[in-house]
Amino acid sequence: MVPWAGSLKEDGWSSEELKIRNESRKILGLPRLKVAATCVRVPVVTTHSVSVHAEFEREVTVAGAHEILRNAPGVVVLDDPANGEFPTPADVVGTDPTWVGRIRQSLDHPNSLELFRVRRQPPQGGGAQHRADRRSRRGRVDPEVLRFEGPP
């Protein structure tokens, strides 16, 4: 296990930790959402997981988070710890959505939630195909050179 992912950014944060902050703000539609993450690399081949502590401007509930996340495009909520149902890397292999579970109220902060997020590792790293497609539309790269098949 390696407590680092991405490239070094300002004040000791990694690019992956800042990406989690920005993506969380975008998905939830909360541009000032307070999010801090520590990325840890664990040798899992086809997925990546994140433990998230999210702090909001006002008190939030687990039920409210479930509702928002269930309605978010590309998100699947699997959150029934009493029955052992929560996302794991093995469960999401070969699927496209982001899976979220272990959603719970922070013990010390009524304006905060803790949750666990798992999703398929994009082929060639995050956004490589999107960037290649954009470049090819600008005539900079032959699109056939950059085509690849994702995991099954």
Side-chain angles (χ1 to χ4, degrees):
M1 184 163 60
V2 179
W4 184 262
S7 59
L8 181 62
K9 298 297 181 186
E10 191 173 324
D11 295 327
W13 292 98
S14 78
S15 59
E16 291 297 313
E17 292 160 346
L18 296 176
K19 186 187 305 181
I20 289 168
R21 177 182 177 97
N22 295 332
E23 287 178 1
S24 298
R25 289 173 166 183
K26 182 179 176 183
I27 288 170
L28 296 172
L30 300 169
R32 292 192 311 249
L33 178 67
K34 294 179 181 178
V35 177
T38 299
C39 288
V40 178
R41 291 273 183 210
V42 178
V44 177
V45 177
T46 60
T47 63
H48 64 276
S49 308
V50 177
S51 175
V52 177
H53 169 88
E55 188 173 308
F56 301 86
E57 290 181 7
R58 57 183 180 271
E59 193 167 329
V60 293
T61 65
V62 170
H66 275 221
E67 182 178 343
I68 289 169
L69 291 168
R70 280 195 176 105
N71 292 313
V75 175
V76 173
V77 176
L78 179 62
D79 191 31
D80 187 2
N83 291 306
E85 294 185 7
F86 39 79
T88 68
D91 296 327
V92 307
V93 171
T95 66
D96 285 329
T98 296
W99 294 74
V100 180
R102 300 279 333 271
I103 302 168
R104 59 213 183 274
Q105 189 74 49
S106 176
L107 293 174
D108 298 314
H109 304 283
N111 293 13
S112 300
L113 294 174
E114 314 294 336
L115 57 96
F116 186 68
R117 193 255 309 147
V118 184
R119 72 178 182 188
R120 176 178 65 94
Q121 181 70 30
Q124 294 188 6
Q129 184 65 50
H130 175 72
R131 289 189 301 273
D133 287 345
R134 254 191 330 191
R135 283 189 213 111
S136 71
R137 282 194 297 274
R138 290 188 215 141
R140 295 185 182 167
V141 176
D142 178 358
E144 292 308 312
V145 172
L146 297 170
R147 293 284 165 221
F148 61 88
E149 293 294 319

